[in-house]
Amino acid sequence: MSLIEISGVDFLYENDNSDRPALQNIDLQIEAGDFAVIIGSNGSGKSTLAKLLNVLLTPSKGEIFVAGLNTNNPDNTWKIRQRVGMVFQNPDNQLVASMVEDDVAFGPENLGIPTQEIRKRVDKALEMVGMAGFQKFAPHKLSGGQKQRVAIAGVIAMEPDCIVLDEPTAMLDPQGRKEVMETVQYLNKEKGITVVHITHFMEEAVNADQVIVMNQGQILHKGSPKSIFRLVEQLKDVNLDIPVAVEVAEYLRQENIDIPDILSIDELVDALC
Ligand SMILES: Nc1ncnc2c1ncn2[C@@H]1O[C@H](COP(=O)(O)OP(=O)(O)OP(=O)(O)O)[C@@H](O)[C@H]1O
Ligand SMILES: [Mg+2]
């Protein structure tokens, strides 16, 4: 069984007066240890899907299993939330304490973990996100990228199997974006944490194990980055960008220049040289 198994899921907001559910017919598996990236235009249902994964919402129809636990069973809610941590767009809304270490300790405290153990976890989590030594800092004095890494540390301190990040880089400058993506990639590759990353930046999808393209509440495509970014016209039809290198390669192919499937500028340079 996959770490996350979604089958036949619909979701309809109670106060939604639009004519279609926010999510419709969602079938999706995410394997333990994978880096999955969800892309899709505004309102396509990405955040709704994220909230279903850690039981902030439950399906109107269908089922979701996280590590074999059905999210529809209220007895599983806290077990699942411990396994699936969430990081949101705005770090300022996630950091509530006046000191970094208290913010990181907040999650484990709620799990009822003993104080000595919490102290260890806080230090370890801050180290894992490259923020060792910032324990006594005031969160509001940190950069956007640093704040977001502290928010990630707060999730890591709960020792989850999976982190779901809903546009964690959207409010950051390029430097902050790079810091956060390197941190998330490190946690995935070196620490084996499963990642579900939602983004509008296509470059953040090129190293994924699986890319999921959402459109109007449905999954339009899912597959490897290469198989997804080959669908240049279909992605443009649903208002998605494609990585610059992919676009250039596609243009060259139209000019009858033989270019293999590439995703990054480096690969493009190699292919051309
Ligand atoms: N709390 C809510 N109540 C009613 N409808 C909602 C609510 N939240 C989202 N929706 C609707 O559900 C649909 C999916 O929204 P969702 O926020 O999941 O999309 P998204 O892909 O995350 O968009 P964005 O890229 O703007 O973050 C939209 O039509 C939206 O208007
Ligand atoms: Mg969203």
Side-chain angles (χ1 to χ4, degrees):
M1 202 179 202
S2 309
L3 179 66
I4 294 172
E5 299 252 2
I6 304 178
S7 48
V9 163
D10 285 5
F11 185 82
L12 183 65
Y13 285 100
E14 274 172 20
N15 58 341
D16 197 345
N17 43 21
S18 77
D19 51 358
R20 63 166 178 85
L23 291 174
Q24 231 173 335
N25 282 325
I26 303 294
D27 290 310
L28 180 64
Q29 286 85 42
I30 296 171
E31 306 304 326
D34 268 9
F35 197 112
V37 172
I38 303 178
I39 57 178
S41 55
N42 294 117
S44 58
K46 305 180 297 298
S47 295
T48 305
L49 183 57
K51 287 174 188 159
L52 286 165
L53 296 180
N54 91 331
V55 212
L56 291 172
L57 302 172
T58 51
S60 310
K61 195 182 138 207
E63 286 177 325
I64 300 177
F65 287 88
V66 175
L69 301 165
N70 190 334
T71 69
N72 286 329
N73 179 349
D75 290 342
N76 290 336
T77 302
W78 286 102
K79 285 183 221 157
I80 294 170
R81 289 198 185 147
Q82 199 175 332
R83 284 165 175 272
V84 180
M86 294 279 286
V87 177
F88 297 98
Q89 191 175 94
N90 188 345
D92 290 324
N93 295 344
Q94 299 172 83
L95 303 181
V96 288
S98 55
M99 241 194 293
V100 163
E101 63 181 4
D102 296 336
D103 255 313
V104 179
F106 186 75
E109 273 166 4
N110 281 340
L111 295 177
I113 289 161
T115 313
Q116 276 307 98
E117 167 71 11
I118 291 179
R119 196 173 292 264
K120 275 193 227 151
R121 285 198 189 189
V122 167
D123 292 349
K124 190 171 148 206
L126 284 172
E127 195 179 319
M128 280 163 72
V129 302
M131 292 292 286
F134 283 82
Q135 277 81 343
K136 306 287 178 198
F137 274 61
H140 71 266
K141 291 197 175 151
L142 302 176
S143 72
Q146 289 174 323
K147 282 183 201 172
Q148 203 56 299
R149 285 186 287 148
V150 170
I152 294 171
V155 169
I156 294 299
M158 293 169 65
E159 302 190 340
D161 300 329
C162 175
I163 44 180
V164 178
L165 303 110
D166 191 354
E167 299 197 45
T169 57
M171 302 180 71
L172 305 180
D173 60 17
Q175 173 61 28
R177 216 147 75 208
K178 183 163 168 271
E179 288 170 18
V180 167
M181 287 315 293
E182 283 174 358
T183 300
V184 175
Q185 252 141 22
Y186 167 79
L187 294 172
N188 175 252
K189 294 283 170 295
E190 304 300 324
K191 303 292 168 185
I193 296 174
T194 308
V195 170
V196 179
H197 175 63
I198 298 173
T199 188
H200 275 115
F201 297 103
M202 296 303 130
E203 267 71 17
E204 294 176 2
V206 301
N207 294 318
D209 294 302
Q210 181 177 203
V211 179
I212 298 124
V213 185
M214 305 279 306
N215 184 48
Q216 300 198 350
Q218 296 186 303
I219 294 179
L220 191 65
H221 298 289
K222 57 188 173 194
S224 68
K226 282 205 166 131
S227 71
I228 295 298
F229 290 120
R230 218 174 273 150
L231 309 169
V232 175
E233 292 310 318
Q234 293 169 58
L235 294 178
K236 285 184 177 168
D237 282 347
V238 295
N239 294 320
L240 288 173
D241 293 329
I242 49 174
V244 174
V246 176
E247 181 128 51
V248 173
E250 182 66 15
Y251 175 76
L252 293 172
R253 265 180 228 121
Q254 281 166 14
E255 299 295 313
N256 290 321
I257 297 168
D258 187 23
I259 301 272
D261 271 337
I262 53 100
L263 291 171
S264 66
I265 300 282
D266 288 346
E267 286 175 354
L268 179 63
V269 170
D270 282 349
L272 287 173
C273 296

